[in-house]
Amino acid sequence: MQPLPKEYNFAEIERKWQQKWEEMGIHRYDWNDQKRVPFSIDTPPPYPSGELHMGNVLNWTYFDMVARYKRMRGFNVLFPQGWDCHGLGIEIQVEKTHNVRKRDVPPDEFRKWCSETVEKYIALMKEGILKLGCSIDWTTEYRTMNPDYWRRTQLSFILLYQKGFMYQGTHPVNWCPRCETAIADAEVDYDKREGVLHYIRYPLEGSNEYLLIATSRPEFIPACVAVEVNPQDDRFTKYIGKKIVVPVFNRTVPIIGEETVDPAFGTGVVQICTYGDKEDVKTVMKHKLPVIMLLTENGRITENGGKYAGLTINQARAAIVQDLTEAGLLEKTEKITQEVGRCDRCKAHVEILERKQWFMKTRQMTEAVEKTANEVVWYPDYMKTRLIDWARSLDWDWVISRQRLFATPIPVWYCKNCGELILAEPEWVPIDPKLEGPRVDKCPKCGSQEFIGERDVFDTWMDSSITCAVHAGWPDRKDWRKRFPADMHPSGIDIIRTWAYYLMVRHLALFNETPYKSCLINGMVLGADGRKMSKSLKNYVAAPDVLNKNGADAARQWAAGGGATGSDIPFRAPDVEYGRRFLVKLWNVSGFTSKLLTDYQPGKTKNVKLQPLDKWIISKAENLTKKVTDAFEKCQFNIAVEDIRNFTWHVFCDAYVEAVKDRLYRPEVQGAEAKVAAQQTLYEVLYRILQLLAPVTPHLTEAIYQTLYADSKGYKSLHVSPWPEFNQAVTDEQAEKRGDLITALITEVRREKAEKRMSLNAQIKKLTVYAGDKETADIIAESSEDIVGTCKIASLEVLAKKGSGRQIAQFADVHFVAEYEGAAVEKT
Ligand SMILES: [Zn+2]
Ligand SMILES: [Zn+2]
């Protein structure tokens, strides 16, 4: 057997095995395998956004631990990787880099810049993912910006249109005036800010009276379509049905009664404008009020704003407030804290605009989403309520169209003459209706031969919300349902409301089936200061720095062990360094083992008689296997990694290896068979450690396996070796109890030497053990050779009676007295 190189060079080892695994093809999904059961992981394709960050390290370590564990469990694992290219962030980034607005550049030029930026970012992210050692099947790699992926997105739209899930409508939508596109509820972040409440006098028609209205958005006065009061509010019931004058504009609007008005808020009188907020939208719909569109798509006042037309929102507010003041209609102002919606990509204040959009009927699916979410297995379980609460909270259907450039085209045309909609046939896709006409001779309704291609494009989530089916091979592979629903959808806690939700509604609508059987949720990465890691907070740590400094296997231990699955995990450099020290320890003990095993022939020592300490650690390793397997099954990675590390460091290295050194070094004392028993136990227990640890630290475990085990075990990689099945018959409760006593006694003796600043090899002239009873004395006597050898004892006397002396931790009735060469030890 080859000894292991002395030095643990993680950079070399990790690079080497990443390359070899790729050459061996062990991460490939076998599409033709008829024997193994598939296990498909719905890897969420990320937005390419530049170098890997620690949040990505956490995500991909989770995905990869599941993939590696399942592969060892014998599954045909599908671990694909795609890139979600059409994020709004890319357009914003390109505008910044080239210092342009997208409308000022030829669209093709702009799209070219976008795809170049995407490729640059993909290269950076991919480098990081490779460096992390993820067992991805790179033959599956895809980009949603490629026409072959458009084909899938467009086909899914056509099918859902045919099933009645897609419609066009001029409903109000969230609108980012900076990005100039509609955005979905999920893309709106809310935060609090200081605002000003303006108390404005609205004169009653034909009277000298006025009603006082408090509003934080006086710039919307030009779009005021009604004033409402609570019909139970005695102060105002008499005005319901009357008309009131809109200040400055001098037109009248009705005063209506509406139960949802809170009499205690502001003055109890509310203006309805189109649209100041979502409440306005509800009231306008309920009372069928007219709509005055006040804002343009880039956030300026329209012609409907009269003299304020062309101003920005802020300019208009200032101008109107000034006009109100001059007209004596502004009674007072006061500061308030208000909640505002912001575009999650550019942070601009989100407005509500009405424009013809495409929608998917998602609200009608809320019950189905809730039912399905309850059937899915969630890790951890309580995360499912996030999805259910989100689905229930939605006011509007999902707006799936965007007014952007870099995105998948919507495959429809309109007849130029009669407006008839022409939907692409499934065979036509991928297709860009801006460049190509529909493949029909004439409009089926009016016979016209002129068509206008749809200019709107899909929301990027339309691309990425069909991955469970796409990964399975839909629509091209006949047997795609073999891999559908995905066995696991892993996702960050922050994207449950988008990814988990959109996947659910799209696949339910398309296939009437859940997209995933289980959902694994990871928390966010916090900085060392406990706040969410971010570049602006100066608590940001770049993943490449961490990987270069301590290696992937150390960083992965941080990700696995940093906290319970689903909880937020702080990044602590000492955790990574501890991971590295652990690996050095494991490397060193493996090197030591390999040296002691040069004359050992694995597999040829079947019936060797095991010593009590051998039985002890074999039983412990078996129980560890059970605990670690349970932990991986439940995706409790922190439990798995802690248990393995504790066992390896404290039980295997500190206790067992120390206790059998004498047997291995001096077979002439304890005999050849005792030596072989120790060799065999060392060999097999270390192998068990490597196997259990393989999903967490794949590189180092593989390097050790290849040197010490590949020949005798016969698997081309540790990562395709079968996961150890827990075997109850191997466990031995008695052996564990006995071994615990022996190792505790040895540890205590060594501790005494250390306290006395003596070498661990210092000779003990005589050790007298007071076992307390006969049974304990017999156990100690049975392992007397390991005790004598390890502690360097010239003479060991074990007495069944109680006695005084140094007490052994956890065994209060056992004491010992050691007499050292040259100096007697004072008795306690
Ligand atoms: Zn924006
Ligand atoms: Zn027509």
Side-chain angles (χ1 to χ4, degrees):
M1 191 174 300
Q2 289 287 316
L4 213 56
K6 198 167 181 319
E7 204 62 23
Y8 163 53
N9 183 337
F10 67 82
E12 196 181 295
I13 288 172
E14 291 181 358
R15 202 170 39 237
K16 174 181 166 181
W17 287 106
Q18 284 159 14
Q19 247 166 39
K20 291 230 172 195
W21 290 329
E22 199 53 39
E23 285 163 26
M24 287 191 240
I26 57 167
H27 303 154
R28 305 249 167 91
Y29 176 78
D30 184 350
W31 297 92
N32 300 315
D33 193 327
Q34 299 298 330
K35 280 196 206 127
R36 288 180 301 163
V37 177
F39 186 89
S40 58
I41 296 173
D42 178 47
T43 322
Y47 287 139
S49 56
E51 72 177 20
L52 215 62
H53 55 73
M54 292 312 291
N56 299 136
V57 169
L58 180 65
N59 299 160
W60 265 268
T61 302
Y62 273 28
F63 309 165
D64 191 50
M65 287 189 293
V66 172
R68 288 184 184 275
Y69 169 71
K70 290 291 178 181
R71 215 173 274 120
M72 290 176 77
R73 295 292 322 225
F75 290 93
N76 187 10
V77 172
L78 173 60
F79 184 9
Q81 185 64 60
W83 307 99
D84 187 10
C85 308
H86 291 140
L88 183 52
I90 291 291
E91 287 191 352
I92 295 173
Q93 187 57 47
V94 167
E95 288 183 328
K96 269 192 202 152
T97 312
H98 293 267
N99 197 23
V100 292
R101 295 304 297 261
K102 60 187 170 187
R103 59 162 65 172
D104 303 331
V105 191
D108 280 347
E109 182 82 2
F110 191 80
R111 278 191 285 264
K112 201 181 103 215
W113 287 342
C114 287
S115 62
E116 283 167 6
T117 307
V118 165
E119 287 298 347
K120 193 177 78 190
Y121 286 161
I122 287 177
L124 282 170
M125 274 188 106
K126 189 170 171 180
E127 190 190 323
I129 293 171
L130 286 167
K131 236 182 185 164
L132 192 58
C134 295
S135 60
I136 287 161
D137 180 352
W138 288 103
T139 62
T140 63
E141 190 178 1
Y142 63 90
R143 288 159 169 74
T144 61
M145 66 182 179
N146 288 353
D148 192 52
Y149 198 94
W150 287 11
R151 177 171 64 91
R152 300 158 206 264
T153 304
Q154 291 181 330
L155 176 62
S156 70
F157 169 80
I158 293 167
L159 296 177
L160 287 181
Y161 184 92
Q162 289 167 343
K163 290 181 101 175
F165 279 97
M166 300 300 185
Y167 67 95
Q168 277 181 298
T170 38
H171 295 284
V173 292
N174 300 305
W175 186 274
C176 175
R178 203 225 66 94
C179 300
E180 293 182 42
T181 179
I183 59 176
D185 278 343
E187 291 165 313
V188 182
D189 293 333
Y190 289 91
D191 64 18
K192 294 225 177 348
R193 71 161 186 196
E194 286 272 293
V196 179
L197 206 52
H198 301 77
Y199 287 80
I200 301 165
R201 294 173 184 156
Y202 278 54
L204 286 157
E205 189 187 34
S207 136
N208 291 329
E209 281 182 84
Y210 61 84
L211 293 183
L212 202 55
I213 291 180
T215 176
S216 61
R217 303 210 68 184
E219 66 273 24
F220 269 90
I221 286 176
C224 176
V225 291
V227 163
E228 59 178 7
V229 294
N230 190 310
Q232 312 296 327
D233 190 339
D234 293 341
R235 294 175 294 172
F236 305 119
T237 36
K238 58 178 182 262
Y239 300 120
I240 293 175
K242 300 226 162 89
K243 297 220 162 187
I244 196 163
V245 180
V246 178
V248 183
F249 282 76
N250 293 324
R251 56 184 175 79
T252 58
V253 294
I255 300 170
I256 58 175
E258 168 57 46
E259 308 84 58
T260 57
V261 173
D262 177 3
F265 179 77
T267 60
V269 188
V270 178
Q271 65 165 352
I272 302 302
C273 304
T274 52
Y275 292 100
D277 58 25
K278 274 192 164 183
E279 287 308 310
D280 287 344
V281 175
K282 283 184 197 161
T283 312
V284 167
M285 285 180 176
K286 185 170 166 190
H287 294 274
K288 301 197 167 53
L289 296 168
V291 175
I292 300 172
M293 284 316 303
L294 186 67
L295 296 180
T296 65
E297 294 182 356
N298 61 352
R300 289 181 180 265
I301 305 294
T302 62
E303 296 303 313
N304 292 331
K307 62 190 272 204
Y308 308 109
L311 298 182
T312 65
I313 294 166
N314 286 337
Q315 288 166 343
R317 182 185 307 141
I320 289 175
V321 169
Q322 193 183 345
D323 290 346
L324 289 168
T325 312
E326 282 168 11
L329 296 174
L330 182 64
E331 190 159 304
K332 61 171 178 171
T333 60
E334 62 189 34
K335 286 208 170 106
I336 50 156
T337 308
Q338 58 184 161
E339 198 171 57
V340 292
R342 295 187 186 282
C343 169
D344 75 344
R345 290 293 144 197
C346 76
K347 306 299 165 210
H349 191 154
V350 169
E351 297 291 348
I352 296 168
L353 241 65
E354 238 180 45
R355 186 187 183 286
K356 201 171 190 188
Q357 300 284 356
W358 281 95
F359 294 85
M360 175 169 168
K361 289 182 187 167
T362 45
R363 268 183 317 168
Q364 67 183 34
M365 300 176 72
T366 303
E367 236 173 77
V369 168
E370 182 168 350
K371 180 172 170 285
T372 314
N374 278 312
E375 287 160 6
V376 166
V377 180
W378 294 78
Y379 305 102
D381 184 58
Y382 62 86
M383 288 293 174
K384 72 175 163 208
T385 56
R386 292 204 170 222
L387 178 63
I388 294 168
D389 290 349
W390 172 253
R392 283 188 187 155
S393 77
L394 292 170
D395 294 321
W396 302 340
D397 278 338
W398 175 15
V399 48
I400 58 163
S401 52
R402 294 291 183 274
Q403 292 64 49
R404 296 181 40 205
L405 289 174
F406 187 58
T408 305
I410 301 177
V412 299
W413 297 260
Y414 306 96
C415 170
K416 203 171 177 181
N417 181 45
C418 74
E420 176 76 353
L421 183 141
I422 315 237
L423 179 72
E425 295 291 329
E427 308 81 64
W428 301 358
V429 295
I431 197 162
D432 186 348
K434 294 187 286 297
L435 305 177
E436 256 188 88
R439 292 172 200 168
V440 292
D441 300 333
K442 53 185 195 305
C443 169
K445 201 169 163 193
C446 77
S448 163
Q449 294 181 328
E450 283 189 285
F451 305 96
I452 303 167
E454 174 64 88
R455 301 207 67 80
D456 283 359
V457 292
F458 285 125
D459 176 9
T460 185
W461 289 104
M462 280 292 283
D463 297 335
S464 53
S465 56
I466 50 170
T467 53
C468 294
V470 168
H471 293 156
W474 177 86
D476 304 317
R477 290 184 187 270
K478 283 201 172 59
D479 66 346
W480 70 276
R481 280 200 172 259
K482 245 175 90 174
R483 292 163 292 273
F484 182 88
D487 291 281
M488 177 171 282
H489 170 71
S491 170
I493 190 169
D494 54 330
I495 49 175
I496 292 175
R497 66 181 189 174
T498 46
W499 227 310
Y501 175 74
Y502 289 142
L503 283 171
M504 186 78 90
V505 289
R506 291 263 273 145
H507 290 85
L508 280 175
L510 274 167
F511 309 113
N512 207 13
E513 200 172 341
T514 180
Y516 41 82
K517 294 178 201 162
S518 70
C519 202
L520 166 63
I521 302 299
N522 64 267
M524 298 290 98
V525 174
L526 310 176
D529 57 359
R531 290 187 294 176
K532 193 177 169 181
M533 191 180 272
S534 108
K535 281 182 176 158
S536 59
L537 287 175
K538 298 201 182 345
N539 61 1
Y540 180 83
V541 180
D545 293 349
V546 176
L547 295 177
N548 290 337
K549 192 171 170 211
N550 286 299
D553 282 349
R556 292 168 64 110
Q557 284 177 74
W558 158 77
T565 300
S567 65
D568 289 348
I569 293 179
F571 176 74
R572 287 174 295 237
D575 285 5
V576 183
E577 281 149 23
Y578 176 79
R580 168 109 173 263
R581 283 202 305 280
F582 169 75
L583 296 173
V584 171
K585 180 85 181 170
L586 179 57
W587 184 263
N588 289 343
V589 80
S590 303
F592 170 78
T593 304
S594 72
K595 271 188 236 134
L596 294 171
L597 295 179
T598 43
D599 61 341
Y600 171 68
Q601 291 181 302
K604 295 194 178 149
T605 53
K606 283 265 146 53
N607 295 315
V608 66
K609 184 174 179 292
L610 296 172
Q611 303 284 312
L613 277 185
D614 305 331
K615 291 182 191 159
W616 166 75
I617 193 147
I618 288 169
S619 179
K620 290 224 170 227
E622 203 59 29
N623 280 318
L624 172 74
T625 303
K626 183 171 192 295
K627 278 167 81 180
V628 171
T629 306
D630 282 353
F632 274 122
E633 286 294 325
K634 294 175 189 154
C635 295
Q636 293 170 337
F637 310 115
N638 57 324
I639 294 176
V641 72
E642 281 319 311
D643 282 352
I644 304 168
R645 290 201 293 203
N646 283 334
F647 175 85
T648 307
W649 203 307
H650 305 299
V651 181
F652 184 66
C653 297
D654 289 351
Y656 181 74
V657 172
E658 290 305 325
V660 298
K661 272 180 181 171
D662 192 63
R663 266 201 261 165
L664 294 159
Y665 285 140
R666 300 193 304 154
E668 65 278 10
V669 179
Q670 293 199 44
E673 190 173 24
K675 176 185 168 181
V676 174
Q679 284 182 317
Q680 179 187 304
T681 308
L682 267 180
Y683 191 70
E684 295 302 333
V685 173
L686 178 59
Y687 180 57
R688 183 62 59 90
I689 290 171
L690 297 179
Q691 282 202 299
L692 298 180
L693 202 52
V696 186
T697 62
H699 308 87
L700 172 126
T701 50
E702 178 81 317
I704 299 171
Y705 169 83
Q706 294 290 347
T707 312
L708 269 63
Y709 295 93
D711 285 346
S712 75
K713 299 291 178 188
Y715 310 106
K716 64 179 173 182
S717 162
L718 177 65
H719 299 287
V720 293
S721 70
W723 185 261
E725 289 290 337
F726 169 70
N727 182 355
Q728 180 79 48
V730 177
T731 63
D732 184 337
E733 206 182 325
Q734 286 306 315
E736 286 200 38
K737 273 190 190 156
R738 288 184 196 130
D740 286 345
L741 171 61
I742 305 301
T743 51
L745 173 59
I746 292 172
T747 303
E748 201 63 46
V749 172
R750 288 162 68 93
R751 192 174 292 150
E752 185 176 270
K753 284 185 183 177
E755 282 169 15
K756 291 180 177 299
R757 296 172 181 271
M758 300 168 87
S759 146
L760 289 177
N761 285 326
Q763 273 286 330
I764 295 174
K765 206 159 61 181
K766 185 174 183 200
L767 189 82
T768 310
V769 179
Y770 298 99
D773 58 55
K774 178 152 189 320
E775 193 193 343
T776 309
D778 288 347
I779 293 168
I780 296 171
E782 198 189 2
S783 287
S784 63
E785 286 173 324
D786 281 337
I787 298 168
V788 163
T790 309
C791 301
K792 315 294 172 202
I793 300 162
S795 161
L796 171 69
E797 187 179 19
V798 183
L799 303 170
K801 64 179 179 184
K802 285 194 176 21
S804 59
R806 191 177 173 107
Q807 194 182 43
I808 299 174
Q810 273 125 44
F811 295 89
D813 288 343
V814 186
H815 296 76
F816 68 82
V817 177
E819 295 168 40
Y820 294 90
E821 290 291 347
V825 175
E826 66 280 21
K827 291 191 177 157
T828 47

